[in-house]
């Protein structure tokens, strides 16, 4: 027990100090806890800000895809901004300094392009001249002397277009039987029957023209068979969609397949090839669900100045071995222009070329909204690197350079750009941005193939020809939606091959389908005989142009 007031006071002070130390310790712990909470909240807010920025960038990108321009070409430059890739052309003279000269520009009016005449707009239509004769005999009588007037000339007063509704015609063929009049009374009378040309499909009433029309409507005009069925009902004939599907499969197997295989053999002899793939849906594939994705592979000739060949091949899967099998037997060392899909790595003996349009598209998509002219933005810089290559290519075409000249100019002009692009790419270290990271990863994945196109002036810079060739199938798929069976899908690909190859050779696809069905290619025909039915044959061009 403390004996005095001083001792009691000392003990109270010690208790107060102990309590204050405890309070300070508690407060420090609380402060540290609050600081940690604030730091975690700031980190979460930063992550939220990044997420919001990425989502906003995705929204801007989708709006641009839906409502914006689809062109990847940029012609605009910032005022006062020098071109990053401005290189002097060897054909261009050195710049000469000019004195500033002020010229008075007079106001001018914009000239409107003259409206096309009917003769220009309807030049390919047959024209019928109708001479108007609606006046009565009384009106043709002279009001002065009563003499009947006579025509002295004609004047064009109007033009109209008349629509003639399509129609179906039934044609019955009768065989003629002949007998020998001398052998008629003998024990061995002689007869012969003229049965004419066999039916296009045994037991069917379809003609080559009708079959060609059904195929043209589905694969060129994208009209599904069920809608054609309704149209034929309107014309007075009940032709079911199942019947039309059977016509397509039968004609493809019997007549288009030999032509397809001939074109395939010719395609494998080319040194510049292009490929692409797209999914389709086939409902009745053995061992697979109807919702499963099947694939169509497009393989076509390159932009090498020779006759174009475009072939489609249906496969159940997207495995790269499918296209490798299709290209088996090609000329060793040929060039294959494709996109960045890794399945094409399985194609042997091919010098794979990457599509610079795809690379450019990734950088274009990575440009944030409102930063299209921000030349400090890495996405804009990556886009400009790619776009410079296309500017050079356009200049080569405008000058009409040969493939050898293009080869030399590419080494001089484009190789330094690619090398600079790769060096710049190595220095990029983005901290955020999903789309710019995708652009970097896609570009890095194409590194081994970026310069292969420089080896041959006939190689293309992009795979745009393949994308243009596969687009009709994609448009048709949005209308007829799916194929019922693998046989139907395979038949469709054969017909697409005939149509698109004909179009690429400036032929009327409907006329060419009808021409093939009338001449009926067969497996017994030699390549020389099939050559006469190819789209580049003079007889075919004269008939189907």
């Amino acid at each position: 027990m403390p004996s005095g007031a001083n001792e009691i006071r000392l003990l109270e002070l010690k208790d107060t100090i102990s309590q204050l130390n405890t309070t300070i310790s508690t407060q420090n712990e609380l402060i540290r806890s609050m600081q940690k909470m604030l730091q975690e909240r700031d980190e979460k807010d930063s992550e939220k800000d990044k997420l919001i920025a990425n989502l906003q960038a995705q929204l801007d990108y989708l709006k641009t895809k839906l409502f914006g321009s689809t062109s990847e070409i940029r012609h605009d430059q910032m005022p006062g901004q020098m071109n990053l890739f401005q290189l002097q052309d060897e054909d261009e003279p050195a710049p000469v300094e000019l004195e500033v000269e002020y010229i008075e520009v007079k106001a001018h009016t914009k000239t409107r392009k003259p409206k096309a005449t009917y003769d220009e707009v309807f030049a390919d239509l047959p024209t019928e001249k109708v001479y108007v004769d609606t006046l009565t005999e009384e009106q043709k009588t002279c009001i002065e002397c009563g003499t009947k007037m006579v025509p002295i000339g004609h004047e064009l007063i109007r033009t109209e277009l008349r629509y003639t509704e399509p129609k179906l015609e039934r044609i019955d063929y009768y065989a003629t039987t002949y007998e020998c009049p001398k052998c008629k009374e003998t024990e061995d009378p002689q007869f012969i029957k003229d049965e004419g040309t066999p039916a296009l499909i045994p037991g069917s009433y379809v003609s080559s023209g009708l079959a060609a029309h059904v195929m043209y409507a589905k694969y060129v005009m994208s009209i599904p068979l069920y809608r054609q069925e309704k149209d034929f009902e309107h014309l007075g004939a009940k032709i079911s969609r199942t019947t039309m599907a059977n016509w397509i499969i039968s004609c493809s197997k019997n007549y288009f397949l030999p032509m397809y295989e001939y074109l395939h053999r010719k395609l494998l002899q080319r040194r510049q090839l292009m490929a692409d793939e797209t999914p389709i849906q086939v409902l009745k594939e053995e061992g697979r669900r109807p919702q499963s994705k099947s694939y169509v592979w497009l393989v076509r000739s390159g932009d090498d100045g020779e006759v174009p060949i475009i072939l489609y091949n249906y496969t159940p899967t997207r495995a790269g071995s499918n296209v490798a099998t299709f290209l088996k037997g090609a000329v060793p060392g040929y060039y294959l222009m494709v996109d960045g899909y890794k399945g094409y790595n399985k194609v042997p003996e091919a010098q794979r070329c990457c599509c610079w349009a795809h690379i450019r598209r990734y950088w274009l998509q990575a440009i944030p909204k409102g930063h299209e002219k921000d030349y400090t933005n890495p996405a804009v810089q990556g886009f400009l690197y790619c776009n410079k290559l296309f500017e050079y290519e356009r200049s080569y075409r405008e000058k009409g350079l040969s493939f050898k000249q293009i080869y030399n100019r590419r080494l001089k002009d484009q190789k330094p750009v690619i090398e600079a692009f790769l060096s710049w790419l190595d220095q990029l270290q983005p901290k955020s941005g999903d789309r710019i990271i995708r652009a970097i990863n896609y570009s890095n994945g194409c590194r081994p193939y970026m310069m292969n196109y420089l080896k041959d002036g006939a190689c293309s810079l992009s795979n745009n020809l393949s994308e243009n060739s596969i687009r009709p199938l994609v448009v048709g798929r949005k209308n007829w939606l799916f194929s019922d069976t693998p046989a139907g899908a395979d038949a469709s690909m054969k017909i697409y091959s005939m149509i698109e190859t004909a179009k690429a050779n400036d032929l009327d696809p409907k006329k060419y389908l009808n021409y093939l069905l009338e001449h009926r290619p067969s497996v017994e025909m030699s390549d020389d005989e099939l050559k006469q039915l190819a789209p580049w044959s003079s007889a075919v061009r004269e008939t189907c142009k």
Side-chain angles (χ1 to χ4, degrees):
M1 296 289 295
S3 58
N6 290 334
E7 292 183 6
I8 294 173
R9 180 70 175 169
L10 181 61
L11 291 174
E12 289 177 351
L13 289 173
K14 287 182 178 179
D15 290 340
T16 302
I17 291 172
S18 177
Q19 292 175 3
L20 288 174
N21 287 334
T22 303
T23 302
I24 291 171
S25 177
T26 304
Q27 292 292 334
N28 288 337
E29 193 68 30
L30 179 61
I31 290 172
R32 282 194 293 269
S33 176
M34 293 297 294
Q35 287 176 340
K36 184 178 180 181
M37 290 177 60
L38 290 173
Q39 184 179 359
E40 291 177 351
R41 188 180 67 179
D42 291 341
E43 291 177 355
K44 290 182 180 179
D45 289 343
S46 177
E47 292 296 328
K48 287 181 180 179
D49 291 341
K50 291 180 181 179
L51 179 60
I52 292 173
N54 286 335
L55 291 175
Q56 183 63 45
Q58 292 180 22
L59 179 61
D60 294 338
Y61 165 69
L62 292 174
K63 285 182 177 179
T64 302
K65 290 287 286 183
L66 185 60
F67 303 110
S69 172
T70 58
S71 176
E72 300 172 3
I73 302 175
R74 290 164 60 98
H75 300 287
D76 53 336
Q77 298 288 342
M78 290 183 65
Q81 174 70 43
M82 296 182 65
N83 193 327
L84 182 62
F85 305 102
Q86 184 61 45
L87 299 176
Q88 183 173 319
D89 195 308
E90 66 180 7
D91 296 335
E92 296 176 357
V96 179
E97 293 186 3
L98 299 177
E99 296 181 358
V100 178
E101 180 181 0
Y102 296 95
I103 302 175
E104 181 181 356
V105 180
K106 297 181 180 180
H108 63 279
T109 57
K110 184 178 179 180
T111 57
R112 185 186 295 268
K113 183 179 179 180
K115 186 177 180 180
T117 64
Y118 288 155
D119 289 339
E120 295 172 343
V121 177
F122 308 129
D124 297 331
L125 297 181
T127 303
E128 177 186 354
K129 294 182 179 180
V130 177
Y131 297 98
V132 177
D133 186 14
T134 58
L135 298 178
T136 63
E137 292 298 325
E138 182 179 353
Q139 291 173 324
K140 296 178 184 178
T141 303
C142 179
I143 58 176
E144 294 292 335
C145 63
T147 305
K148 183 177 180 181
M149 295 185 176
V150 295
I152 59 173
H154 301 282
E155 177 187 355
L156 178 65
I157 54 175
R158 67 185 177 91
T159 297
E160 69 179 15
L161 291 183
R162 184 182 303 163
Y163 175 75
T164 303
E165 187 173 356
K167 62 179 180 179
L168 292 173
E169 295 178 322
R170 171 179 170 175
I171 302 175
D172 294 332
Y173 292 90
Y174 292 89
T176 302
T177 303
Y178 298 87
E179 71 170 354
C180 177
K182 288 187 178 181
C183 299
K184 180 179 180 181
E185 304 299 334
T186 65
E187 296 180 354
D188 187 19
Q190 297 296 312
F191 301 93
I192 187 173
K193 183 185 291 186
D194 181 4
E195 297 185 353
T197 305
L200 182 67
I201 300 176
S204 174
Y205 54 79
V206 65
S207 64
S208 59
L210 179 57
H213 170 76
V214 170
M215 297 172 192
Y216 176 83
K218 178 175 181 178
Y219 299 110
V220 177
M221 304 306 294
S222 303
I223 303 176
L225 296 182
Y226 76 90
R227 285 165 54 188
Q228 294 192 52
E229 180 180 347
K230 295 295 183 182
D231 199 29
F232 284 132
E233 286 183 10
H234 176 72
L235 296 177
K238 293 183 178 181
I239 305 176
S240 70
R241 67 195 75 175
T242 303
T243 299
M244 288 184 277
N246 289 334
W247 292 348
I248 291 173
I249 294 175
S250 179
C251 291
S252 174
K253 180 179 179 181
N254 295 327
Y255 307 122
F256 296 148
L257 179 59
M259 199 68 210
Y260 180 91
E261 292 176 343
Y262 168 75
L263 294 176
H264 188 195
R265 292 191 293 272
K266 301 300 290 185
L267 182 65
L268 295 181
Q269 298 173 8
R270 306 286 280 273
R271 283 192 58 81
Q272 277 78 30
L273 300 180
M274 298 178 166
D276 201 358
E277 79 287 339
T278 189
I280 62 169
Q281 186 177 2
V282 180
L283 299 182
K284 299 175 183 177
E285 286 183 300
E286 186 176 357
R288 307 187 74 200
R289 300 172 61 236
Q291 295 82 3
S292 301
K293 280 186 179 181
S294 299
Y295 279 85
V296 172
W297 300 82
L298 163 75
V299 181
R300 61 158 295 155
S301 55
D303 192 13
D304 53 6
E306 299 184 37
V307 291
I309 301 175
I310 304 173
L311 299 182
Y312 301 80
N313 184 40
Y314 153 78
T315 61
T317 67
R318 200 190 181 192
S321 56
N322 292 312
V323 69
T325 301
F326 188 83
L327 292 173
K328 185 177 180 180
V331 179
Y334 66 95
Y335 296 90
L336 181 63
M337 169 60 69
V338 291
D339 56 24
Y341 174 49
K342 294 182 179 179
Y344 292 108
N345 293 338
K346 296 184 178 181
V347 180
E349 299 182 341
Q351 300 187 68
R352 180 174 169 181
C353 303
C354 72
C355 174
W356 277 95
H358 278 79
I359 299 175
R360 180 176 66 172
R361 194 171 303 153
Y362 272 87
W363 290 104
L364 176 65
Q365 294 169 357
I367 299 175
K369 184 178 180 181
H371 293 261
E372 291 82 2
K373 295 185 179 181
D374 180 7
Y375 287 80
T376 63
N377 188 288
V380 176
Q381 294 173 356
F383 177 86
L384 290 176
Y385 274 111
C386 301
N387 205 45
K388 188 60 184 177
L389 301 177
F390 287 90
E391 290 178 5
Y392 279 127
E393 289 294 316
R394 282 192 293 273
S395 69
Y396 301 159
R397 288 197 299 270
E398 291 171 358
K399 295 176 182 178
L401 301 184
S402 66
F403 290 143
K404 184 176 181 181
Q405 291 172 320
I406 290 175
Y407 166 77
N408 293 327
R409 293 301 298 272
R410 281 176 174 173
L411 294 179
K412 177 181 179 295
D413 300 335
Q414 299 186 30
K415 187 177 179 181
V417 176
I418 300 175
E419 291 173 343
F421 173 71
L422 294 176
S423 177
W424 168 84
L425 192 62
D426 290 332
Q427 300 172 11
L428 284 184
Q429 294 180 349
K431 297 180 180 179
S432 63
D434 292 342
R435 284 184 287 155
I436 194 168
I437 293 175
R438 286 178 58 207
I440 294 172
N441 292 338
Y442 187 87
S443 299
N444 283 328
C446 295
R447 275 178 181 261
Y449 323 112
M450 281 185 177
M451 293 195 183
N452 281 346
Y453 81 98
L454 299 175
K455 299 177 183 178
D456 193 327
C459 286
S460 298
L461 181 65
S462 73
N463 202 30
N464 286 343
L465 285 178
S466 293
E467 291 191 345
N468 292 337
S469 297
I470 212 166
R471 188 171 292 114
L473 187 147
V474 175
V475 173
R477 183 183 60 197
K478 291 180 180 179
N479 291 273
W480 44 259
L481 301 179
F482 54 81
S483 293
D484 190 51
T485 63
D490 187 67
S492 297
M493 297 312 110
K494 301 298 184 291
I495 297 171
Y496 267 122
S497 300
M498 300 300 109
I499 289 173
E500 294 305 317
T501 301
K503 289 164 62 176
N505 284 274
D506 299 322
L507 300 182
D508 184 316
K510 187 174 183 179
K511 291 181 179 180
Y512 185 60
L513 290 175
N514 188 35
Y515 187 91
L516 290 178
L517 293 177
E518 286 182 346
H519 291 78
R520 305 182 186 182
S522 67
V523 293
E524 290 82 13
M525 287 185 175
S526 65
D527 280 5
D528 289 337
E529 292 175 305
L530 292 171
K531 181 181 179 181
Q532 302 304 315
L533 303 178
W536 48 85
S537 164
S538 57
V540 172
R541 299 191 67 81
E542 185 176 348
T543 305
C544 306
K545 61 183 178 181

